[in-house]
Amino acid sequence: MNAQALEHLQLRTALHHALANQEFVLHYQPQIDLASGSVVGVEALLRWQRAGDGLMAPARFIPAAEESGLIVPIGEWVLQEACAQAMRWQKAGLPEITMAVNLSAVQFRRGDLLQSVTQALAESGLEPARLELELTETLLLDDAEQVLETVRRLKALGVCLSIDDFGTGYSSLAYLKRFAVDKLKIDQSFVRDIVSDADDAAIVRAIISMARSLKLKVIAEGVETQDVARTLGLYHCHEAQGYHFARPMPADALTDWLRQRNAAQP
Ligand code: C2E
Ligand code: MG
Ligand code: MG
């Protein structure tokens, strides 16, 4: 067996134990309303605290979790934990924010996603409108009928839907209507250089203008500088997320961050 295949196998075996061993953690990254500067939501981002190892980023283990189907139980845990955390912040008296959770296409195909979402909401007591599910463009393209039905039922629960990494897939405009999505997340690859790259700026402006005409919310990802944030404001982008505002951080650190920010704002 070559080294890569062996590593992959070891990763799968370790992933099997990771859930039971409670090795997963969620970090949360704030989402900012550009007009008011207030925090309107957070995105839950999965990390793996592997025994004897550092914190592992999702890009390194999500593909293996998807191939093995383990993303289904892992994704269920993410939904439960994220909803529970949103309620903890609500009960602690912090301003109400939306909790965004990333979904994998495999959860649509192999899991009972509707049941997982219903259960996470019921167990936590979180209002459905406070939960936002992030889908990808490719997800909406494959197996459209079954996905459409699940999406319809999720919408009927009252949860919000957003399209992650918008602009990197097929950007089919038909599905925006068909799936009644609420929000577009402009991919960071377009956002990064809007100040210096005229093409990127044109793409970002076009997405914002289209989103606004369709009455969708639009958020820019990967905002790393004040210049980019200001430019997005000039383009009338609703929201932004990125290192310029805050990095993803553990729940406790975000609690402090939210409190400090609240205290600083009149
Ligand atoms: P994503 O959903 O598009 O998440 C945004 C990624 O950009 C995150 O990487 C975040 O840490 C990073 N980021 C945020 N602000 C900045 C910035 O200003 N500059 C730069 N360069 N990067 C920024 P992360 O946490 O490594 O997550 C990577 C991807 O893994 C996510 O992309 C998402 O597709 C996936 N993922 C994360 N958590 C989950 C999960 O619970 N379930 C599933 N299925 N996928 C997840
Ligand atoms: Mg995301
Ligand atoms: Mg993204």
Side-chain angles (χ1 to χ4, degrees):
M1 207 185 288
N2 64 41
Q4 214 186 345
L6 183 65
E7 196 191 305
H8 194 77
L9 189 68
Q10 285 169 339
L11 191 63
R12 272 172 80 149
T13 313
L15 268 175
H16 254 292
H17 301 293
L19 250 190
N21 293 347
Q22 300 182 303
E23 291 173 1
F24 291 112
V25 279
L26 292 179
H27 282 193
Y28 301 90
Q29 187 177 35
Q31 302 178 323
I32 312 294
D33 178 275
L34 282 169
S36 67
S38 53
V39 181
V40 285
V42 295
E43 176 175 5
L45 294 156
L46 185 61
R47 271 100 185 87
W48 181 9
Q49 180 67 68
R50 213 175 151 180
D53 221 335
L55 215 51
M56 201 190 272
R60 284 185 56 202
F61 64 87
I62 294 233
E66 288 181 326
E67 277 167 43
S68 59
L70 283 166
I71 193 68
V72 172
I74 295 172
E76 270 171 24
W77 176 83
V78 171
L79 277 164
Q80 282 165 18
E81 181 55 27
C83 290
Q85 184 56 55
M87 274 312 277
R88 276 178 223 128
W89 280 322
Q90 203 169 304
K91 284 180 180 152
L94 289 159
E96 289 207 353
I97 48 177
T98 301
M99 176 61 72
V101 173
N102 292 283
L103 293 182
S104 153
V106 180
Q107 287 172 273
F108 272 83
R109 270 187 260 121
R110 293 175 62 171
D112 190 347
L113 186 60
L114 194 69
Q115 163 68 17
S116 311
V117 172
T118 310
Q119 196 174 331
L121 289 170
E123 279 173 8
S124 61
L126 185 70
E127 241 180 283
R130 293 277 159 204
L131 178 63
E132 179 181 306
L133 302 175
E134 296 195 0
L135 318 178
T136 56
E137 294 175 85
T138 33
L139 169 90
L140 297 180
L141 284 176
D142 70 40
D143 206 21
E145 272 319 309
Q146 190 214 326
V147 172
L148 184 61
E149 187 52 31
T150 307
V151 169
R152 257 195 217 115
R153 291 184 181 191
L154 288 169
K155 288 287 301 188
L157 289 179
V159 302
C160 299
L161 298 180
S162 63
I163 307 292
D164 206 353
D165 308 334
F166 187 80
T168 58
Y170 291 93
S171 304
S172 157
L173 304 183
Y175 70 58
L176 293 182
K177 236 180 109 178
R178 201 152 168 249
F179 290 94
V181 301
D182 302 283
K183 188 171 180 178
L184 300 184
K185 301 195 74 178
I186 310 174
D187 190 67
Q188 41 186 288
S189 60
F190 304 115
V191 173
R192 202 174 298 134
D193 298 323
I194 47 168
V195 177
S196 56
D197 186 317
D199 291 339
D200 284 346
I203 291 170
V204 167
R205 292 178 83 155
I207 297 175
I208 294 168
S209 139
M210 180 190 67
R212 294 190 76 105
S213 317
L214 290 168
K215 306 222 163 17
L216 304 178
K217 280 257 176 211
V218 59
I219 180 167
E221 292 191 90
V223 176
E224 294 186 355
T225 66
Q226 172 68 47
D227 272 355
V228 169
R230 194 178 329 111
T231 306
L232 288 164
L234 293 174
Y235 293 172
H236 302 293
C237 185
H238 297 118
E239 297 169 10
Q241 177 180 348
Y243 298 166
H244 169 62
F245 302 101
R247 290 190 175 247
M249 53 190 129
D252 286 350
L254 191 66
T255 308
D256 294 343
W257 188 90
L258 287 169
R259 287 223 168 93
Q260 271 167 23
R261 204 176 159 96
N262 267 353
Q265 287 201 332

